[in-house]
Amino acid sequence: MPKKIQGAIAAFSVLALLTACTPSSSDPDATREDAKTAEAAADPVFRVGAITNDSAETAAEAAPSSPPTDDATSTAAPSASAPAAIPTGDAFGEVVESGDELDLEAGQRIGIAVENATLTDVSVTEQEHPRITADPGTFFDVSGTALDTDDDAQAGSSTPTSTSSEPSDSSSSEAASGETKDKDGAEAVTAPAESAAWISRYDLVADSEYTVEATATTPDGDEAELKTTVAVGATTAAPMSVRTTLADDQTVGVAAPIILSFGSTVSEDFRDDVERRLSVKVTDKDGKERKVEGSWGWLYDDPQSRLHFRPKEFWPAHSKVSVDVPLKNVPTGENSVGQNDLTLDFEIGRKQVVEASAKTHRMVVTRDGKEVMDFPASLGAPKSPSYNGTHVVMSKAADYTMKSEQWDYETDVQWAVRIHNNGEFIHAAPWSTGVQGSQNVSHGCINLSTQRAKQYFDSAIFGDPVEITGSHVSLSTQDSDISDWVYSWKDWQKLSALD
């Protein structure tokens, strides 16, 4: 669990002051039975407030160490000697009713508590960005103890979900995720039994408006609903830009990653805040959603932060991809926020794959499963080998000057297709035509005849995979602009900032 929210979770150890200390009767002569009756009849009361990071840290130090009682409905308050980690009662949060509007500060986390009832579900929706996945938050019982929830119910997964438009499929998707849909279509996170409060996992974003909704159930089985609006003020933090290498309406190959580059370094403590807001939607040419499993990965800083998205397998050919990156005013560090929102719509073209073997000295190109080229080639010599692994077409140039300080040469070539930024290209090499198909004599590139290089050059687009085999060395995940496919899927998922 991220350090920046551990304290906030501990802060609810004093939640009993909010949920358990409501007087049961104003009559000092009332009997205990009368008090119980009055408490059972009391209407649910919702409170909405925010907690700062400083208060969260104090709460972590003041949290009680004793385990919770077996009685989940216990109304015992914390010890009077325990320091108040967060404001309590009216000072913590306002009593709110549906239709109320609240003003909160950026960089805080929102909390919702209910008295005289238990929470059923909660949803917090950023009004301008409804595609953002639900904040799973953490639920607490009346004693302030965090409650376990089904992992499947925790929203914020970096895997884009695509379901059929058929109602039955949609319902199945919701049931599998552990989320429900409220009446406005926003994601709602289902509360575990005996929930009395909830605190968000992510900070409130400056200059934004949120719709906060909650449902609670009384001991008598009646439901109470809350719908309120929270406005968040501006920030004075320094802006950090975010950009992408792809362009709207660009057609790319099936191995093309989505690349986000930041203007500076995104603090590790805030990477989950950034990543959970991003969404990727894949459709076919007719607009029908396609289910594609994928994940974002934070690559090593170079020196700015880099965030890539790749699917588990290659993108399905002939698809459309829509990316939403709403990062304006989103915290990226203690004193920095995102400068801009970004959207991207591009297309996945045909599935063209190059397979080049240092053992057979051939380069075979398939397109949508059909072989379209089979060329003799010369790969890297033993002292300067080509690298095994999945490369990605990065750029191409009809005329290019190859330079190498390591091998001390400068050579002009034609029809050069860059497949890695370690110096590997597919290009025309008329000087090696005599050994192409029988020997490896290059400095790591794939050599073809001029005519064959031109034929391949004309077919290549950014993102096409080039798979090299038969060498005695392999690609590394370091020193590369695009090393996404060098990682195993399991290792790639570890690069995500989300749980």
Side-chain angles (χ1 to χ4, degrees), residues 230-243:
V230 172
V232 185
T235 179
T236 58
M240 181 189 298
S241 64
V242 59
R243 62 190 185 279

Side-chain angles (χ1 to χ4, degrees), residues 106 204-208 234-235 327-331 336-341:
L204 293 169
V205 174
D207 198 22
S208 299
T235 179
L327 295 183
K328 185 176 182 179
N329 291 323
V330 175
S336 64
V337 295
Q339 182 179 38
N340 58 290
D341 292 336

